[in-house]
Amino acid sequence: MDLDLARKVLAEQPFSRLLGARVTAFGDGEATLELDIRQELLQQYGYVHGGVVSYAADNTLTLAAATVVGPGLITSGFTIDYLRPATGEILRAHGQVVRAGRTRVVSRCDVSTVDAAGKQTLCAVAQGNIAVIDARS
């Protein structure tokens, strides 16, 4: 898999299109996903909704795994710890593979916000198990 295919796969996900997610880096066991923070993605206190932060971590964990084992993957489980409220201009999730096996990949992800000045603030960390569902891919 390469960056173009990763972008195509993401574009095939209706929910990813709804959120406006984009893959900005992909390769060598790492992947980065970004989305613009906008009013529709906030909760009642003005922070990015936890479900959006969780979505970013989930997809990025799997994207990172795909850099090592290719497509045909699905998240089989993950944990996320919210460290601080997410506010800013961009939500950025950066994932990396911890260990890749034949049927499972373990990845971890840092989710940060980026403000107008370009300063990143870590807001969540996640770790997940990614299952290979199509070994032929």
Side-chain angles (χ1 to χ4, degrees), residues 16-39:
S16 292
R17 288 194 311 267
L18 177 71
L19 294 178
R22 58 195 175 270
V23 181
T24 59
F26 184 89
D28 299 323
E30 298 187 22
T32 303
L33 180 141
E34 293 182 352
L35 56 89
D36 295 327
I37 296 173
R38 57 185 200 275
Q39 185 67 34

Side-chain angles (χ1 to χ4, degrees), residues 36-59:
D36 295 327
I37 296 173
R38 57 185 200 275
Q39 185 67 34
E40 298 85 6
L41 304 181
L42 306 181
Q43 43 86 299
Q44 71 273 20
Y45 300 116
Y47 305 127
V48 177
H49 191 284
V52 176
V53 175
S54 180
Y55 154 85
D58 179 10
N59 261 16

